[in-house]
């Protein structure tokens, strides 16, 4: 069992203020596989104080961006050497199939470190502009102390999408991992220490909701970066609004995959399986609404059903597994409730249903619903599990209308033999990230959502800009 009894604050391992602990339970075996201290508001106070001191008095924000980028580059080298270990920890603590952990859960955070190390080496911190009486210097400065609140589904991805640009910008940071997945953050803390990042620049305190809200509300925090549910995002946004505190909110999604009539279904299903069922369906960008024309509706339903049947359910540590367990029993029950709702609404499960595939572990049967409409709850609410809903459309304009008929606007895809036609569809769907014949989140490009999917952007130069304040300095002559 992986056991820790300290917190990473101020550059060292310190005893927690309280005596509470967090048990990390394997979603496959339902057994305890780790234990860490549960952070308290007092621990958050210490972490913010350390980050505040490091920002106000330490060397980190006073280094050049290129110097900070070089340190982040060293962290990337250390991360690269341990990414296999990181993948195994994430699979153990939250049930992500090991192939997905090795393909995305560990490599994507590494890629972010490498990207921002490269971007920071040449990013312009100052520029000159003409003014009325003389030149104006426009300067970019770090926003200050950052609170990063992250969920459990892709824990390192959502930490690094905040940590890497914040570090390059010159910010200091307090990271609150989700209580379901604290173990990977301890490995990251070891890497941060080894990389030589100054004391107090990075602080990591695993905790629950009470301590998390205390962190968000803390007057010593200048910016909050949150990834999670839309409901929690609204609460965090309201706190930040009251305090005029900067925030980035990456929230829920209910993304649509539009299958055009010219799509080669046999080739598309391989990519769609990743886009719709990655990480056991526990992904905010998952393409869970499959839109098919009435001309090919039955054919698409059959193809999606065959795709899902071809993804073995089982032990996430087994490389042959396509779909593993959900992160917790409450999540298992939530997803089963939605399957029950879909049946009650009149949709037909052509694959899966309410019978659990395994007797032990928090598994649900991967389910494909046919005969659904976009007005059903299974088509409108984020389920966060391996449940797909195939919805018919009349023509291309109707498909775009259905895709846009959602409270969310995080991601989406279109599948077609004509790339230019796919681009035209992409331009009409109101989401922050879109794919033509695949779905990718690119380190060089902004990621975020429209509507209830959030505020602000992460990744790309835009993700670095989110941790910078602009200062204009005018001078005479």
């Amino acid at each position: 069992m992986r056991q820790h009894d300290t917190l990473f604050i101020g550059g060292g391992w310190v005893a927690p203020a309280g005596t509470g602990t967090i048990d990390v339970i394997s979603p496959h075996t339902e057994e305890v596989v780790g234990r860490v201290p549960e952070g308290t508001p007092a621990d958050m106070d210490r972490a913010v104080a350390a980050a505040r001191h490091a920002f106000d008095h330490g060397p980190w924000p006073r280094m050049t961006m290129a110097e900070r980028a070089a340190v982040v580059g060293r962290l990337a080298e250390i991360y690269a050497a341990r990414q296999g270990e990181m993948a195994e920890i994430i699979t153990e603590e939250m049930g992500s199939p090991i192939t997905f952990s090795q393909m995305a859960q560990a490599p994507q955070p590494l890629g972010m470190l490498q990207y921002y190390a490269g971007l920071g080496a040449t990013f312009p911190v100052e520029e000159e502009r003409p003014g009325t009486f003389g030149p104006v210097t426009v300067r970019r400065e770090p926003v200050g102390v950052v609170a990063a609140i992250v969920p459990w589904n892709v824990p390192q991805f959502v930490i690094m999408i905040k940590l890497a640009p914040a570090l390059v910008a010159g910010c200091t940071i307090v990271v609150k991992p989700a209580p379901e997945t604290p173990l990977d953050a301890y490995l990251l803390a070891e890497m941060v220490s080894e990389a030589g990042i100054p004391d107090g620049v990075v602080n990591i305190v695993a905790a629950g909701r009470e301590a998390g809200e205390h962190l968000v509300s803390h007057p010593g925090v200048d910016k909050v970066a949150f990834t999670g549910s839309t409901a929690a995002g609204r609460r965090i946004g309201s706190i930040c609004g009251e305090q005029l505190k900067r925030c980035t909110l990456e929230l829920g999604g209910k993304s649509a995959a539009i299958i055009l009539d010219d799509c080669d279904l046999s080739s598309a299903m391989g990519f769609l399986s990743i886009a719709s069922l990655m990480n056991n369906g526990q992904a905010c960008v998952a393409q869970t609404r499959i839109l098919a024309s009435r001309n090919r509706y039955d054919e698409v339903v059959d193809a999606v059903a065959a795709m899902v049947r071809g993804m073995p359910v089982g032990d996430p540590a087994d490389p042959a597994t396509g779909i593993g367990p959900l992160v917790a029993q409450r999540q298992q029950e939530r997803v089963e409730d939605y399957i029950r709702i879909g049946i009650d609404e009149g949709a037909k499960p052509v694959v899966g249903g309410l019978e659990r595939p395994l007797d032990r572990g928090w598994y649900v049967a991967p389910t494909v619903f046919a005969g659904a409409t976009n007005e059903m709850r299974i088509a409108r609410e984020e389920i966060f599990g391996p449940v797909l809903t195939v919805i018919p459309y009349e023509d291309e304009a109707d498909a775009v209308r259905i895709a846009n008929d959602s409270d969310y606007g995080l991601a989406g895809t279109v599948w077609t033999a004509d790339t230019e036609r796919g681009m035209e569809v992409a331009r009409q769907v109101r989401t922050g990230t879109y794919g033509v014949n695949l779905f990718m989140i690119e380190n060089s490009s902004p990621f975020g959502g429209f509507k209830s999917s959030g505020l602000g952007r992460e990744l790309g130069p835009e993700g670095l800009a989110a941790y910078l304040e602009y200062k204009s300095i005018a001078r005479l002559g």
Side-chain angles (χ1 to χ4, degrees), residues 40-123:
T40 66
D43 293 312
M44 291 302 181
D45 288 342
R46 285 195 296 169
V48 172
R52 188 81 259 167
H53 186 272
F55 185 80
D56 292 341
H57 306 290
W60 190 250
R62 293 156 188 86
M63 296 165 62
T64 67
M65 186 175 287
E67 289 171 337
R68 292 191 296 266
V71 178
V72 171
R74 287 203 298 273
L75 178 58
E77 293 172 358
I78 295 165
Y79 203 104
R82 304 188 72 177
Q83 66 173 319
E85 183 180 357
M86 182 65 78
E88 291 174 359
I89 288 175
I90 293 173
T91 289
E92 182 178 31
E93 66 184 347
M94 62 77 55
S96 186
I98 188 63
T99 51
F100 185 75
S101 291
Q102 293 169 340
M103 177 180 69
Q105 294 272 26
Q108 281 198 301
L110 171 61
M112 291 179 214
L113 285 170
Q114 294 168 332
Y115 171 77
Y116 280 108
L119 181 64
T122 58
F123 193 83

Side-chain angles (χ1 to χ4, degrees), residues 345-407:
E345 289 179 317
K348 177 185 176 183
V350 294
V351 174
L354 290 170
E355 185 175 347
R356 293 178 177 176
L358 294 168
D359 294 333
R360 184 181 68 168
W362 296 315
Y363 291 87
V364 298
T367 299
V368 177
F369 279 108
T373 70
N374 201 52
E375 288 66 45
M376 292 179 177
R377 287 181 63 188
I378 56 170
R380 304 204 69 82
E381 299 176 15
E382 187 174 39
I383 297 174
F384 228 61
V387 179
L388 307 180
T389 304
V390 187
I391 301 168
Y393 65 82
E394 300 297 336
D395 54 23
E396 190 173 300
D398 191 41
V400 171
R401 180 193 65 78
I402 293 171
N404 285 330
D405 181 16
S406 174
D407 292 336

